[in-house]
Amino acid sequence: MKTLRYFHKVPLRVLRIEKLSLRLKTRRAMIKLKIALAQEKQETILMLTTYKNYTQGQASKAEMKMANEQMVNVLKGIGLGVFAVLPFAPITIPMIIKLGRLVGVEVLPSAFIGKKEVVKKEVNKKDKK
């Protein structure tokens, strides 16, 4: 009877552990998304401030270069937003990102690119030179 009870409880325990693991993975992913969106928000505010200063003739070339790079990131985000409303978005968006990387185009905004991927790109650029 004890062995029957043991074998009966084991699958339930495994299911509970898997459920907890999935919940933690989802939470970590949401926190990463929150951090990336907060970073994009700060960069966009800085971009708009730089453009405002440019209209008044107070922005340097380096600030304008950073603002223009952020504008490209905003446009990338808008482009992916279009695909987010289409059906099968969980399938099409990763395919677009993967296809873009195969072609050599980064589709994601800079805040959503992991640090490991940035290091790999820098190493690849140095190897090509």
Side-chain angles (χ1 to χ4, degrees), residues 85-108:
V85 296
L86 294 175
F88 304 110
I91 297 169
T92 56
I93 292 176
M95 285 177 44
I96 290 169
I97 294 169
K98 192 69 161 180
L99 182 65
R101 288 185 180 159
L102 286 174
V103 174
V105 177
E106 187 56 50
V107 181
L108 287 176

mmCIF file of all heavy atoms in Angstrom, residues 85-108:
data_model
loop_
_atom_site.group_PDB
_atom_site.id
_atom_site.type_symbol
_atom_site.label_atom_id
_atom_site.label_comp_id
_atom_site.label_asym_id
_atom_site.label_seq_id
_atom_site.Cartn_x
_atom_site.Cartn_y
_atom_site.Cartn_z
ATOM 1 N N VAL A 85 -0.275 42.425 -34.239
ATOM 2 C CA VAL A 85 -1.730 42.389 -34.331
ATOM 3 C C VAL A 85 -2.221 41.369 -35.360
ATOM 4 O O VAL A 85 -3.407 41.079 -35.415
ATOM 5 C CB VAL A 85 -2.311 43.788 -34.661
ATOM 6 C CG1 VAL A 85 -2.012 44.757 -33.550
ATOM 7 C CG2 VAL A 85 -1.816 44.301 -35.985
ATOM 8 N N LEU A 86 -1.326 40.844 -36.167
ATOM 9 C CA LEU A 86 -1.721 39.852 -37.161
ATOM 10 C C LEU A 86 -1.942 38.492 -36.513
ATOM 11 O O LEU A 86 -1.374 38.188 -35.459
ATOM 12 C CB LEU A 86 -0.639 39.723 -38.232
ATOM 13 C CG LEU A 86 -0.415 40.939 -39.120
ATOM 14 C CD1 LEU A 86 0.764 40.691 -40.044
ATOM 15 C CD2 LEU A 86 -1.655 41.262 -39.921
ATOM 16 N N PRO A 87 -2.749 37.646 -37.148
ATOM 17 C CA PRO A 87 -2.910 36.288 -36.615
ATOM 18 C C PRO A 87 -1.587 35.518 -36.675
ATOM 19 O O PRO A 87 -0.727 35.814 -37.500
ATOM 20 C CB PRO A 87 -3.927 35.649 -37.575
ATOM 21 C CG PRO A 87 -4.531 36.767 -38.328
ATOM 22 C CD PRO A 87 -3.585 37.912 -38.283
ATOM 23 N N PHE A 88 -1.427 34.572 -35.805
ATOM 24 C CA PHE A 88 -0.230 33.731 -35.708
ATOM 25 C C PHE A 88 1.019 34.542 -35.365
ATOM 26 O O PHE A 88 2.122 34.204 -35.782
ATOM 27 C CB PHE A 88 -0.002 32.920 -36.991
ATOM 28 C CG PHE A 88 -1.159 32.062 -37.381
ATOM 29 C CD1 PHE A 88 -1.925 32.358 -38.499
ATOM 30 C CD2 PHE A 88 -1.494 30.969 -36.612
ATOM 31 C CE1 PHE A 88 -2.995 31.568 -38.848
ATOM 32 C CE2 PHE A 88 -2.568 30.162 -36.959
ATOM 33 C CZ PHE A 88 -3.325 30.470 -38.078
ATOM 34 N N ALA A 89 0.855 35.626 -34.612
ATOM 35 C CA ALA A 89 1.990 36.473 -34.229
ATOM 36 C C ALA A 89 3.052 35.707 -33.441
ATOM 37 O O ALA A 89 4.245 35.945 -33.660
ATOM 38 C CB ALA A 89 1.506 37.681 -33.433
ATOM 39 N N PRO A 90 2.688 34.782 -32.535
ATOM 40 C CA PRO A 90 3.744 34.047 -31.829
ATOM 41 C C PRO A 90 4.611 33.195 -32.754
ATOM 42 O O PRO A 90 5.708 32.802 -32.384
ATOM 43 C CB PRO A 90 2.974 33.151 -30.857
ATOM 44 C CG PRO A 90 1.670 33.822 -30.665
ATOM 45 C CD PRO A 90 1.367 34.508 -31.961
ATOM 46 N N ILE A 91 4.134 32.943 -33.950
ATOM 47 C CA ILE A 91 4.918 32.172 -34.908
ATOM 48 C C ILE A 91 5.659 33.105 -35.861
ATOM 49 O O ILE A 91 6.839 32.914 -36.149
ATOM 50 C CB ILE A 91 4.007 31.214 -35.703
ATOM 51 C CG1 ILE A 91 3.369 30.210 -34.751
ATOM 52 C CG2 ILE A 91 4.773 30.502 -36.809
ATOM 53 C CD1 ILE A 91 2.273 29.387 -35.364
ATOM 54 N N THR A 92 4.972 34.143 -36.347
ATOM 55 C CA THR A 92 5.559 34.994 -37.377
ATOM 56 C C THR A 92 6.662 35.900 -36.845
ATOM 57 O O THR A 92 7.668 36.102 -37.534
ATOM 58 C CB THR A 92 4.482 35.856 -38.058
ATOM 59 O OG1 THR A 92 3.793 36.625 -37.061
ATOM 60 C CG2 THR A 92 3.503 35.008 -38.824
ATOM 61 N N ILE A 93 6.510 36.443 -35.652
ATOM 62 C CA ILE A 93 7.529 37.370 -35.130
ATOM 63 C C ILE A 93 8.874 36.673 -34.932
ATOM 64 O O ILE A 93 9.897 37.190 -35.386
ATOM 65 C CB ILE A 93 7.033 38.085 -33.865
ATOM 66 C CG1 ILE A 93 5.887 39.038 -34.235
ATOM 67 C CG2 ILE A 93 8.160 38.859 -33.189
ATOM 68 C CD1 ILE A 93 5.249 39.732 -33.074
ATOM 69 N N PRO A 94 8.943 35.507 -34.267
ATOM 70 C CA PRO A 94 10.252 34.839 -34.173
ATOM 71 C C PRO A 94 10.830 34.461 -35.534
ATOM 72 O O PRO A 94 12.048 34.519 -35.732
ATOM 73 C CB PRO A 94 9.963 33.587 -33.337
ATOM 74 C CG PRO A 94 8.753 33.904 -32.566
ATOM 75 C CD PRO A 94 7.948 34.829 -33.436
ATOM 76 N N MET A 95 9.952 34.110 -36.484
ATOM 77 C CA MET A 95 10.451 33.784 -37.825
ATOM 78 C C MET A 95 11.048 35.026 -38.497
ATOM 79 O O MET A 95 12.085 34.937 -39.156
ATOM 80 C CB MET A 95 9.321 33.213 -38.683
ATOM 81 C CG MET A 95 8.968 31.790 -38.336
ATOM 82 S SD MET A 95 7.585 31.097 -39.265
ATOM 83 C CE MET A 95 7.899 31.599 -40.917
ATOM 84 N N ILE A 96 10.410 36.168 -38.315
ATOM 85 C CA ILE A 96 10.918 37.407 -38.906
ATOM 86 C C ILE A 96 12.266 37.773 -38.292
ATOM 87 O O ILE A 96 13.197 38.173 -38.991
ATOM 88 C CB ILE A 96 9.894 38.548 -38.712
ATOM 89 C CG1 ILE A 96 8.672 38.300 -39.590
ATOM 90 C CG2 ILE A 96 10.511 39.903 -39.016
ATOM 91 C CD1 ILE A 96 7.517 39.201 -39.291
ATOM 92 N N ILE A 97 12.383 37.617 -36.975
ATOM 93 C CA ILE A 97 13.641 37.933 -36.284
ATOM 94 C C ILE A 97 14.752 37.014 -36.774
ATOM 95 O O ILE A 97 15.854 37.455 -37.093
ATOM 96 C CB ILE A 97 13.456 37.834 -34.758
ATOM 97 C CG1 ILE A 97 12.501 38.926 -34.281
ATOM 98 C CG2 ILE A 97 14.798 37.929 -34.045
ATOM 99 C CD1 ILE A 97 12.048 38.758 -32.853
ATOM 100 N N LYS A 98 14.454 35.717 -36.867
ATOM 101 C CA LYS A 98 15.454 34.750 -37.315
ATOM 102 C C LYS A 98 15.850 34.995 -38.768
ATOM 103 O O LYS A 98 17.045 34.966 -39.110
ATOM 104 C CB LYS A 98 14.883 33.328 -37.159
ATOM 105 C CG LYS A 98 15.887 32.244 -37.306
ATOM 106 C CD LYS A 98 16.846 32.258 -36.152
ATOM 107 C CE LYS A 98 17.547 30.944 -36.029
ATOM 108 N NZ LYS A 98 18.476 30.915 -34.941
ATOM 109 N N LEU A 99 14.882 35.259 -39.621
ATOM 110 C CA LEU A 99 15.160 35.529 -41.023
ATOM 111 C C LEU A 99 15.983 36.805 -41.174
ATOM 112 O O LEU A 99 16.921 36.857 -41.974
ATOM 113 C CB LEU A 99 13.854 35.642 -41.810
ATOM 114 C CG LEU A 99 13.978 35.865 -43.305
ATOM 115 C CD1 LEU A 99 14.623 34.646 -43.957
ATOM 116 C CD2 LEU A 99 12.620 36.130 -43.917
ATOM 117 N N GLY A 100 15.660 37.818 -40.374
ATOM 118 C CA GLY A 100 16.427 39.062 -40.420
ATOM 119 C C GLY A 100 17.871 38.850 -40.030
ATOM 120 O O GLY A 100 18.788 39.410 -40.642
ATOM 121 N N ARG A 101 18.105 38.044 -39.013
ATOM 122 C CA ARG A 101 19.486 37.766 -38.588
ATOM 123 C C ARG A 101 20.237 36.955 -39.640
ATOM 124 O O ARG A 101 21.447 37.141 -39.808
ATOM 125 C CB ARG A 101 19.483 37.049 -37.243
ATOM 126 C CG ARG A 101 19.079 37.987 -36.122
ATOM 127 C CD ARG A 101 19.177 37.352 -34.784
ATOM 128 N NE ARG A 101 18.768 38.321 -33.765
ATOM 129 C CZ ARG A 101 18.361 37.991 -32.565
ATOM 130 N NH1 ARG A 101 18.294 36.717 -32.210
ATOM 131 N NH2 ARG A 101 17.999 38.920 -31.712
ATOM 132 N N LEU A 102 19.536 36.051 -40.328
ATOM 133 C CA LEU A 102 20.190 35.293 -41.389
ATOM 134 C C LEU A 102 20.616 36.210 -42.530
ATOM 135 O O LEU A 102 21.675 36.023 -43.129
ATOM 136 C CB LEU A 102 19.259 34.203 -41.925
ATOM 137 C CG LEU A 102 19.050 32.987 -41.029
ATOM 138 C CD1 LEU A 102 17.996 32.062 -41.628
ATOM 139 C CD2 LEU A 102 20.356 32.238 -40.837
ATOM 140 N N VAL A 103 19.798 37.199 -42.829
ATOM 141 C CA VAL A 103 20.096 38.139 -43.899
ATOM 142 C C VAL A 103 21.128 39.170 -43.454
ATOM 143 O O VAL A 103 21.847 39.723 -44.271
ATOM 144 C CB VAL A 103 18.790 38.826 -44.371
ATOM 145 C CG1 VAL A 103 19.052 39.910 -45.387
ATOM 146 C CG2 VAL A 103 17.831 37.809 -44.936
ATOM 147 N N GLY A 104 21.207 39.421 -42.144
ATOM 148 C CA GLY A 104 22.153 40.391 -41.621
ATOM 149 C C GLY A 104 21.512 41.687 -41.170
ATOM 150 O O GLY A 104 22.183 42.698 -41.015
ATOM 151 N N VAL A 105 20.197 41.666 -40.957
ATOM 152 C CA VAL A 105 19.463 42.849 -40.523
ATOM 153 C C VAL A 105 18.931 42.585 -39.120
ATOM 154 O O VAL A 105 18.307 41.556 -38.879
ATOM 155 C CB VAL A 105 18.285 43.143 -41.485
ATOM 156 C CG1 VAL A 105 17.475 44.322 -41.004
ATOM 157 C CG2 VAL A 105 18.785 43.347 -42.891
ATOM 158 N N GLU A 106 19.175 43.515 -38.205
ATOM 159 C CA GLU A 106 18.647 43.383 -36.854
ATOM 160 C C GLU A 106 17.268 44.018 -36.805
ATOM 161 O O GLU A 106 17.116 45.215 -37.065
ATOM 162 C CB GLU A 106 19.575 44.048 -35.832
ATOM 163 C CG GLU A 106 19.173 43.800 -34.404
ATOM 164 C CD GLU A 106 19.065 42.323 -34.060
ATOM 165 O OE1 GLU A 106 19.994 41.568 -34.342
ATOM 166 O OE2 GLU A 106 18.011 41.929 -33.519
ATOM 167 N N VAL A 107 16.253 43.215 -36.502
ATOM 168 C CA VAL A 107 14.870 43.665 -36.511
ATOM 169 C C VAL A 107 14.451 44.197 -35.141
ATOM 170 O O VAL A 107 13.613 45.081 -35.054
ATOM 171 C CB VAL A 107 13.946 42.502 -36.950
ATOM 172 C CG1 VAL A 107 12.503 42.924 -36.987
ATOM 173 C CG2 VAL A 107 14.369 41.983 -38.305
ATOM 174 N N LEU A 108 15.049 43.677 -34.084
ATOM 175 C CA LEU A 108 14.676 44.087 -32.731
ATOM 176 C C LEU A 108 15.321 45.415 -32.356
ATOM 177 O O LEU A 108 16.453 45.694 -32.753
ATOM 178 C CB LEU A 108 15.125 43.030 -31.722
ATOM 179 C CG LEU A 108 14.346 41.734 -31.693
ATOM 180 C CD1 LEU A 108 14.986 40.773 -30.709
ATOM 181 C CD2 LEU A 108 12.912 41.975 -31.310
#
